[in-house]
Amino acid sequence: MMVVIDTERLRLRLLTLDDAPFYLEVVNTPGFIKFIGDRGIRTVEVAREAISNGPIAMQESLGHSLYLVERKEDGAPIGMCGLIKRETLTHVDIGYAFLPQFGGKGYATEAAAGVLAYAPSIGIRRLLAITSPGNDASDAVLRRIGMRFEKLVYLTPEDTGTQLFSRDF
């Protein structure tokens, strides 16, 4: 497993097809569905395809992607955090999602801070982040790591508004 980022309590490593059961669990949590969206991933096989076509393909083509976040103390996978290039945004953005039982412990902030520190080392000079209005926990993480709210954007015709944050290096 290739570790990309190491923090005090966490390791962020490349996702592999073997992470499909965990990926399936994360993308089907109520918080993920409410604030990020229902990806329609309902089986381990579809989760494998999503990892292959998403993080693995992005890592191969761009040199960055969404990473699996695991605790150093026990190797437990607790979430995902990384650098994503979306067609709807002009620059790379930081994204993250954690299992609910690991919320409120500072893991998202620690992982996101690690990704933020890593971004300039791979040539990223401007980093974006998006959140749904009302996703107060995610907003707090972004503000804690020094991202600033820029404006409300509409990424799709049916989008009712997405908060755009940014940080320049």
Side-chain angles (χ1 to χ4, degrees):
M1 306 294 173
M2 186 180 150
V3 174
V4 178
I5 299 165
D6 213 36
T7 70
E8 183 181 341
R9 300 178 296 165
L10 307 171
R11 270 188 302 269
L12 283 71
R13 64 167 176 80
L14 298 181
L15 278 155
T16 71
L17 297 180
D18 292 336
D19 297 315
F22 173 75
Y23 189 91
L24 177 66
E25 185 179 0
V26 172
V27 301
N28 284 292
T29 62
F32 190 100
I33 291 170
K34 179 179 180 182
F35 292 119
I36 299 171
D38 187 346
R39 300 291 188 245
I41 298 170
R42 302 290 184 262
T43 67
V44 171
E45 187 52 43
V46 174
R48 275 191 198 98
E49 291 172 21
I51 291 170
S52 179
N53 297 331
I56 290 175
M58 188 174 290
Q59 185 69 37
E60 289 173 356
S61 66
L62 300 177
H64 59 77
S65 63
L66 196 58
Y67 308 118
L68 184 129
V69 179
E70 57 188 17
R71 286 191 305 207
K72 285 182 177 178
E73 68 182 62
D74 58 6
I78 63 171
M80 299 181 290
C81 184
L83 299 164
I84 305 161
K85 180 60 186 102
R86 301 175 202 270
E87 292 179 12
T88 55
L89 294 174
T90 56
H91 293 85
V92 171
D93 79 293
I94 186 170
Y96 45 87
F98 286 78
L99 291 175
Q101 61 266 38
F102 299 107
K105 296 173 175 57
Y107 292 134
T109 300
E110 184 175 333
V115 169
L116 186 82
Y118 172 71
S121 76
I122 58 169
I124 293 173
R125 298 291 169 247
R126 178 170 175 76
L127 187 62
L128 302 178
I130 53 174
T131 64
S132 298
N135 190 348
D136 298 336
S138 190
D139 288 358
V141 167
L142 293 175
R143 292 177 197 281
R144 277 195 291 274
I145 66 167
M147 301 289 289
R148 66 176 177 77
F149 175 76
E150 201 167 281
K151 62 184 175 182
L152 205 58
V153 295
Y154 301 88
L155 302 176
T156 63
E158 59 277 353
D159 189 353
T160 57
T162 298
Q163 298 176 115
L164 178 70
F165 290 78
S166 66
R167 170 102 181 249
D168 295 312
F169 301 101

